[in-house]
Amino acid sequence: MWALYLAPAALRPSAVTFVTLACSSTLDIIGVVASAIVARGLRRIFPPDLAAVDGIDLDIEEGRIFGFLGANGSGKTTTIRMLTTLLRPTEGSATVDGYDVVKDAAKVRARVGVALQEASLDLVMTGRETLLLQARLYRVPRGEVRQRVGDLLRIVDLEEAADRRVGTYSGGMQRRLDLAAALVHRPRIVFLDEPTSGLDPISRNTIWRYVEDLNRNDGVTFFLTTQYLEEADRLAHEVAIMERGRIVAQGAPAELKASIGADVVTVRLEDRNAQPDRALAAVKAIGGLTDVRVVGDSVVVYTKDGSSAIAPIVLALNEATVAVEEVTLARPTLDDVFLRKTGHHIEAQDREPEGVEGAAS
Amino acid sequence: MIDTMLDVYQLTLRSLREVVRQPAFEVQNYFIPLFFFAVTVGALGNVSERAFGLENYRAFAMPVAILQGAAGGASYSALAMVTDIERGYFDKLLLTPTPRISLVLGRLFGDGIRVVIITAVILIVGAIFGTGMEAGVAGYIAILILAGLFGLAYAGFGLAIALRTGSPQAAQAGFLIFFPLLFLAPAFAPKEFFSPWLEFLATINPVTYILEGMRALISEGWDWEKIGAALLAIAVLAAINMPLALWALRHRTA
Ligand SMILES: Nc1ncnc2c1ncn2[C@@H]1O[C@H](COP(=O)(O)OP(=O)(O)O)[C@@H](O)[C@H]1O
Ligand SMILES: [Mg+2]
């Protein structure tokens, strides 16, 4: 099905490759892979002095899925708005497909597809009208517009709803339409701002599949932000964790997980009033552990070999007369990485699924 | 260039389609001017004809109704723009490669076309009630053109406010500014009967000249001096409002 995305595009790969390489000549070319998105010291201050994005560096290679992970308010949307020319950086610079986001804003816009947070649609238009206008404004050749829009409606499974007003669509349908709208001109680089927030698991999976297919079959580069760790883990080749405008960790999910020590031992204390400080001191005294932290009513221990660490930990707590409720041993997840780097769990704001997908979809 | 013109065309169509689908807003632009027209003519018609030495007060009052309808119609852009901004759809449009100016022109032309339609309906109703048209059939066309151009020029003001503030209340206030302008023009009585301070204000008010240009076509015929003054007044409005709207748009993406 996604061959549709590629089919007419198959006529131009050589030209595209040539152009991409030609304009990337000023950038770092590592081997033959060019950078799709580069940022240097990118910063945005909102008056009076809120550093929403506080000096970030990015190097995202073509053909990758880049996951931009962070809690609400960490600066994800502000970053996307700067990279897609909607917002001027206060400092620093960025290029997308080799073009400067300030000086060559129009060229950047023509090259990228963007689906903003909270599907930004006109509720009075129909789905088809939305895509037709989008295709025309993106200068899809006039003879191809209808065909392209028809194909996209089929791909995102909105054919039946195509001629209904967007206002009657469910959240999942709106998000799929928004995604299709970002793809009309077959962009090589696509920005998605929290594409699955607030969606039920089925809709979320559908969006994941689109992203994976486009990336695998057509080599489309994705920059996607998310508050969901499992989303970043499943989709992204590389993730960056944002915390108050700064990138606190960056790398492949597997790398990041490995970086925090092999295992995670979580000791839940029996009584919420138990002194976590005493427990912390007791466990820290053991030595040989990678890191120890208190999170809520638990002591979290990172260590190379979890199974052999459990006995000394329980013993130490026992000696310190801290009662233990539960001990669990786990391989690290991105959540552990997040916790380790930021000192707290990520809180996704809008977890509740929004009800069953519209029957018409 | 051709691409940009096609974009403007598509965006204008979108603007018109919205109004067809949400007719509630548009109805008042027909109803209110005609209602005021009927009431003023009914209440003041006889008195005014005698007091001001006018032959036909309906002809005198007609341009007021037209400008009311035009200003109402031309204030749609601002409200629609605020909705687009609030919904985030405006960001989607900003992300497309179309030049910024087409986003403004698409809205303005939508308003201009609707103003011509509103004016046509008001003119027809007026004709049925005996306003007459000294300038003949071509006079109707001239009034449609004047009203359409006024709509374009005037809409830029509301659009600037909408783009700058993104606030529905502010956009509404931009429309209300028209009323003092209309009533500081010779809307109900000829300027000669104004007290000096009001006459002075009327003289520097561009709406005065647009009103008098239309009035000349209806009650006198082709008075080129007055028609020229009306066109000039519209050009002055446009010269203020257009740059204002473009400035507000540029500010939005800073
Ligand atoms: N236009 C704006 N004006 C002022 N502050 C803003 C604006 N946009 C975002 N912010 C602030 O910048 C910070 C980062 O916001 P945002 O980039 O939206 O984060 P995220 O997308 O990660 O939730 C937040 O504190 C937010 O309140
Ligand atoms: Mg956000």
Side-chain angles (χ1 to χ4, degrees):
Chain A
M1 203 156 53
W2 284 99
L4 292 168
Y5 190 87
L6 189 61
L11 300 171
R12 7 142 273 189
S14 58
V16 165
T17 316
F18 173 75
V19 170
T20 314
L21 290 176
C23 33
S24 309
S25 58
T26 52
L27 306 172
D28 313 337
I29 299 178
I30 308 144
V32 285
V33 185
S35 292
I37 301 166
V38 178
R40 290 287 173 267
L42 199 61
R43 171 173 285 137
R44 173 72 197 206
I45 314 274
F46 287 117
D49 60 353
L50 172 69
V53 175
D54 198 7
I56 63 170
D57 296 327
L58 295 167
D59 276 284
I60 302 169
E61 285 172 11
E62 271 179 20
R64 309 278 276 177
I65 300 177
F66 185 84
F68 209 52
L69 194 57
N72 232 355
S74 57
K76 304 183 297 294
T77 298
T78 306
T79 304
I80 283 206
R81 292 177 75 86
M82 285 193 284
L83 292 176
T84 57
T85 79
L86 284 179
L87 202 60
R88 288 252 166 105
T90 310
E91 257 176 66
S93 64
T95 61
V96 174
D97 205 8
Y99 290 101
D100 189 282
V101 296
V102 177
K103 286 189 228 97
D104 294 315
K107 293 207 169 87
V108 171
R109 284 197 285 271
R111 278 169 175 72
V112 303
V114 187
L116 295 167
Q117 196 170 355
E118 325 265 322
S120 47
L121 297 164
D122 177 352
L123 303 184
V124 183
M125 290 204 267
T126 69
R128 190 187 309 279
E129 286 163 355
T130 304
L131 295 184
L132 285 174
L133 181 58
Q134 196 81 357
R136 292 185 171 123
L137 294 180
Y138 275 100
R139 313 279 156 73
V140 172
R142 297 183 74 188
E144 289 175 30
V145 167
R146 297 235 151 231
Q147 175 77 34
R148 177 77 186 138
V149 167
D151 291 347
L152 279 170
L153 285 167
R154 177 147 28 84
I155 289 167
V156 297
D157 200 17
L158 286 173
E159 271 179 310
E160 278 171 45
D163 297 310
R164 277 178 19 213
R165 292 191 198 178
V166 174
T168 68
Y169 287 16
S170 71
M173 292 162 79
Q174 291 194 3
R175 220 59 84 86
R176 298 206 302 274
L177 179 65
D178 207 32
L179 184 60
L183 300 176
V184 285
H185 55 306
R186 297 192 178 85
R188 306 299 303 159
I189 301 173
V190 175
F191 292 84
L192 304 178
D193 197 1
E194 302 202 19
T196 66
S197 285
L199 293 190
D200 60 89
I202 296 172
S203 304
R204 185 172 300 170
N205 244 290
T206 311
I207 303 269
W208 288 354
R209 235 187 25 251
Y210 294 153
V211 171
E212 281 174 334
D213 284 354
L214 274 171
N215 174 260
R216 200 173 310 128
N217 302 336
D218 305 313
V220 175
T221 307
F222 280 91
F223 184 105
L224 72 91
T225 75
T226 180
Q227 303 186 37
Y228 303 130
L229 295 147
E230 67 273 26
E231 181 161 290
D233 209 356
R234 147 126 187 221
L235 286 180
H237 300 120
E238 193 178 344
V239 303
I241 295 176
M242 272 293 258
E243 171 79 355
R244 277 191 232 113
R246 291 169 187 273
I247 294 177
V248 293
Q250 191 167 352
E255 251 168 61
L256 287 174
K257 288 184 228 167
S259 75
I260 65 168
D263 293 332
V264 183
V265 179
T266 306
V267 184
R268 196 141 61 81
L269 306 179
E270 196 164 71
D271 184 349
R272 279 176 193 276
N273 303 321
Q275 293 102 326
D277 292 344
R278 215 166 65 210
L280 183 67
V283 176
K284 271 192 167 160
I286 297 170
L289 305 173
T290 312
D291 193 18
V292 186
R293 289 167 174 256
V294 172
V295 180
D297 59 354
S298 300
V299 175
V300 181
V301 180
Y302 303 93
T303 180
K304 286 265 172 292
D305 183 358
S307 43
S308 57
I310 290 180
I313 291 171
V314 174
L315 221 62
L317 289 173
N318 200 19
E319 257 164 45
T321 66
V322 177
V324 170
E325 166 99 22
E326 183 185 47
V327 181
T328 49
L329 168 63
R331 305 267 132 202
T333 61
L334 271 186
D335 191 30
D336 296 308
V337 176
F338 195 90
L339 178 61
R340 181 79 187 287
K341 301 290 180 184
T342 67
H344 58 85
H345 286 286
I346 193 165
E347 289 163 34
Q349 295 287 311
D350 41 11
R351 282 250 63 159
E352 315 85 66
E354 54 155 54
V356 184
E357 191 65 341
S361 72
Chain B
M1 187 62 193
I2 291 195
D3 273 344
T4 305
M5 278 158 59
L6 286 173
D7 290 351
V8 172
Y9 169 71
Q10 293 295 340
L11 290 163
T12 304
L13 282 188
R14 167 182 178 241
S15 171
L16 293 173
R17 192 170 54 208
E18 273 168 12
V19 177
V20 172
R21 288 187 188 169
Q22 299 166 297
F25 177 86
E26 195 69 344
V27 169
Q28 60 186 350
N29 294 326
Y30 293 83
F31 179 74
I32 294 176
L34 287 171
F35 175 77
F36 274 110
F37 176 70
V39 170
T40 29
V41 168
L44 304 174
N46 289 334
V47 177
S48 306
E49 280 170 11
R50 251 174 286 138
F52 306 140
L54 298 169
E55 253 174 54
N56 182 350
Y57 191 73
R58 282 166 229 182
F60 187 84
M62 178 82 300
V64 179
I66 291 171
L67 284 185
Q68 267 183 339
S75 67
Y76 176 74
S77 277
L79 292 174
M81 183 63 83
V82 169
T83 309
D84 277 351
I85 290 170
E86 284 179 338
R87 285 284 319 161
Y89 189 74
F90 192 63
D91 284 335
K92 193 180 236 82
L93 294 176
L94 282 175
L95 283 166
T96 66
T98 191
R100 274 41 199 138
I101 191 162
S102 58
L103 303 181
V104 169
L105 291 182
R107 281 285 173 211
L108 293 187
F109 287 158
D111 276 6
I113 291 169
R114 284 177 28 262
V115 165
V116 169
I117 297 170
I118 293 169
T119 305
V121 171
I122 292 177
L123 278 173
I124 290 168
V125 174
I128 292 169
F129 286 93
T131 54
M133 177 62 75
E134 286 299 317
V137 177
Y140 286 105
I141 293 166
I143 288 186
L144 288 179
I145 292 172
L146 282 177
L149 290 176
F150 166 73
L152 276 180
Y154 184 70
F157 182 66
L159 211 50
I161 294 181
L163 284 165
R164 189 68 188 86
T165 65
S167 139
Q169 290 80 12
Q172 201 89 47
F175 167 57
L176 292 178
I177 271 194
F178 178 71
F179 284 92
L181 285 180
L182 182 61
F183 295 127
L184 289 175
F188 299 119
K191 208 162 55 182
E192 303 85 76
F193 293 87
F194 280 12
S195 54
W197 67 271
L198 191 56
E199 192 177 354
F200 170 72
L201 289 179
T203 309
I204 57 171
N205 177 0
V207 173
T208 298
Y209 300 97
I210 305 168
L211 204 59
E212 288 182 343
M214 290 183 176
R215 199 168 271 158
L217 285 163
I218 297 175
S219 348
E220 293 161 35
W222 295 92
D223 181 336
W224 286 106
E225 201 173 307
K226 287 189 175 158
I227 296 166
L231 284 170
L232 194 66
I234 291 171
V236 166
L237 278 181
I240 296 168
N241 293 341
M242 282 298 167
L244 213 57
L246 291 175
W247 165 80
L249 177 59
R250 217 167 312 121
H251 207 278
R252 186 144 275 282
T253 47

